[in-house]
Amino acid sequence: MRLSLRFLLVVGGVIAAAWLVPIFLTDASGLKFGFPYRVFFTLFTLFAGFLFYLLRGPAVSPIESAPKAVASVVAVFLGSVGLIVLLANLSPQFAFESKAALGQTSQEKGKVLFNDPNVGCFLCHQVAGSGGTRGPDLTRAASVAAQRQPALSAEDYLKESINNPGTYVVPSYDNIMPPYAQRISPEQLRDLIAYLMTLK
Ligand code: HEC
């Protein structure tokens, strides 16, 4: 049996779309249609095309019994779901991280850091009613920081409070805050300060 031109156009068109459409997907869409997906989609289309090709010919052996029919449906289902799950793990379809990195301001990144358990600020400090109470409430951090040390701007006070908390220990609190000078990067410090400066 010959392959019809229309058949080849459909299969070719679907595969071409799988490779061309991702070029026009912007990062802002948050969708990532990575290389493994395109290869998978291409093979899947070729396979589906092959099945259609067989269906047109005379030589398909009919499925003889109900159990066999059920078994083959289940096998195809498990096989394709398994493959898709595997691929989804290898290459996440949604690019959350890159989107976050693209669209976030310094203040937003600082807020994320503040609430990141690895950094730990929120474990000791409250902001707007949530967080720990071992350290001072930072709900109005920027306004408070502006008044703590007459010689220091709010930013400089916050910087010193994070880098070397022992320098100016807030009255009635213990000097238990770990110095962050070696623990976070200069960029992270800048982001944290940008966030704290929004708390007035
Ligand atoms: C183990 C608990 C703890 C952790 C974790 C902690 N702090 Fe503190 N922090 C304190 C305590 C207690 C004080 C008050 C004593 C002092 O000044 O050192 C304080 C003071 C401060 C001050 C000065 C507040 C004021 O009113 O003058 C700032 C600003 C601050 N912390 C920010 C942070 C940031 C940002 C982080 C995360 C990078 C953080 N802290 C992590 C306990 C903690």
Side-chain angles (χ1 to χ4, degrees):
M1 194 196 101
R2 282 181 61 243
L3 289 169
S4 75
L5 181 64
R6 201 180 58 175
F7 178 77
L8 287 177
L9 277 178
V10 169
V11 172
V14 171
I15 293 175
W19 289 87
L20 290 176
V21 169
I23 297 175
F24 299 101
L25 279 182
T26 59
D27 284 337
S29 74
L31 276 174
K32 205 176 106 201
F33 197 61
F35 186 74
Y37 275 101
R38 297 184 217 182
V39 172
F40 171 74
F41 199 77
T42 303
L43 295 177
F44 190 82
T45 309
L46 286 175
F47 181 65
F50 177 66
L51 290 185
F52 274 107
Y53 172 73
L54 286 185
L55 279 178
R56 292 162 136 233
V60 187
S61 62
I63 296 171
E64 298 107 41
S65 67
K68 259 193 189 174
V70 172
S72 49
V73 169
V74 170
V76 169
F77 178 77
L78 290 182
S80 34
V81 169
L83 196 59
I84 288 169
V85 169
L86 185 75
L87 275 164
N89 280 313
L90 290 178
S91 162
Q93 206 173 7
F94 294 94
F96 287 120
E97 277 177 6
S98 66
K99 194 185 176 191
L102 273 173
Q104 268 190 339
T105 64
S106 185
Q107 300 165 4
E108 289 165 343
K109 284 189 271 185
K111 185 172 183 179
V112 171
L113 280 172
F114 190 90
N115 294 302
D116 181 336
N118 291 318
V119 181
C121 318
F122 78 100
L123 296 172
C124 294
H125 292 284
Q126 280 207 334
V127 171
S130 75
T133 52
R134 282 191 285 167
D137 190 322
L138 295 180
T139 305
R140 297 180 62 248
S143 315
V144 172
Q147 271 146 40
R148 285 280 189 224
Q149 296 295 323
L152 292 184
S153 67
E155 281 97 339
D156 286 342
Y157 174 78
L158 290 173
K159 190 174 174 185
E160 190 61 15
S161 295
I162 298 169
N163 274 339
N164 306 297
T167 315
Y168 310 109
V169 177
V170 178
S172 84
Y173 283 95
D174 294 327
N175 183 10
I176 55 161
M177 175 168 162
Y180 280 83
Q182 312 298 326
R183 298 182 60 193
I184 55 178
S185 70
E187 200 201 359
Q188 290 177 316
L189 177 67
R190 203 196 58 207
D191 294 342
L192 277 170
I193 294 173
Y195 166 59
L196 294 175
M197 286 304 291
T198 65
L199 306 175
K200 299 203 164 136

